[in-house]
Structure formats: structure tokens, C-alpha cells
């Protein structure tokens, strides 16, 4: 019975680590937004206070999704695959 009691915390710790791992890693490479270079970007990035034209170059190993609203909310205005460049309107970007 003691064996089961000690195994549960270990299993929970491993599960928590695995669940959190993808969020901890930044994209490899650079993202260029309106001539500003972001190295190894990650998560949600606020670019503008409102919807504005964006010139985007995705030189990362992850997809970049552009949103019309702040905090990566609202309509998706574009999605860039790795190596893709395009112009789009947006307010925030989600990496990965």
C-alpha cells in the first residue's frame, strides 16, 4: 500500500511537466513585423492598439496567426506558415 501512496505524487509531477512543456519553448528563428525583428518569439504578441496594416515575414519554425483584436482574440486575418511573407491587417499575433 505504501508503494501506491508514493507513486501518485511522482506521476502527477511528470504529468504536469509534460502538459506545461509546449508553452515553455519559443519558436526558433525570427519574425519580422513592420521592419522590427523579434528573435525566438513565443506566445501571444501585442503589436498594435487597434487593427493596422502589418508587413510580416515568418522566418521561424512555427505558424504565426494574426488576429484583429488584442490579446490574440477576434477574427483571424491571416496565418503564415514557416518561411512565408505577406501583408495583413491585425492587432496581435500568436506564435505556434
Amino acid at each position: 500500500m505504501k508503494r501506491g501512496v508514493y507513486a501518485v505524487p511522482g506521476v502527477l509531477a511528470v504529468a504536469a511537466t509534460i502538459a506545461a512543456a509546449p508553452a515553455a519553448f519559443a519558436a526558433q528563428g525570427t519574425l519580422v513585423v513592420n521592419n522590427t525583428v523579434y528573435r525566438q518569439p513565443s506566445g501571444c504578441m501585442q503589436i498594435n492598439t487597434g487593427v493596422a496594416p502589418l508587413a510580416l515575414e515568418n522566418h521561424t519554425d512555427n505558424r504565426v496567426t494574426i488576429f484583429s483584436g488584442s490579446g490574440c482574440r477576434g477574427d483571424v486575418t491571416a496565418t503564415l506558415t514557416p518561411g512565408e511573407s505577406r501583408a495583413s491587417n491585425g492587432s496581435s499575433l500568436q506564435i505556434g
Side-chain angles (χ1 to χ4, degrees), residues 32-53:
V32 182
V33 181
N34 295 340
N35 295 318
T36 300
V37 178
Y38 298 92
R39 298 189 191 298
Q40 286 144 347
S42 65
C44 180
M45 298 173 56
Q46 190 65 41
I47 302 299
N48 297 311
T49 55
V51 177

Side-chain angles (χ1 to χ4, degrees), residues 62-80:
N62 280 306
R63 176 181 299 166
V64 176
T65 305
I66 299 91
F67 291 88
S68 62
S70 63
C72 295
R73 296 188 190 126
D75 294 330
V76 172
T77 60
T79 301
L80 279 74

Side-chain angles (χ1 to χ4, degrees), residues 46-61:
Q46 190 65 41
I47 302 299
N48 297 311
T49 55
V51 177
L54 302 173
L56 304 148
E57 298 175 32
N58 183 7
H59 301 290
T60 73
D61 59 352

Side-chain angles (χ1 to χ4, degrees), residues 16-27:
T17 301
I18 291 170
F25 295 104

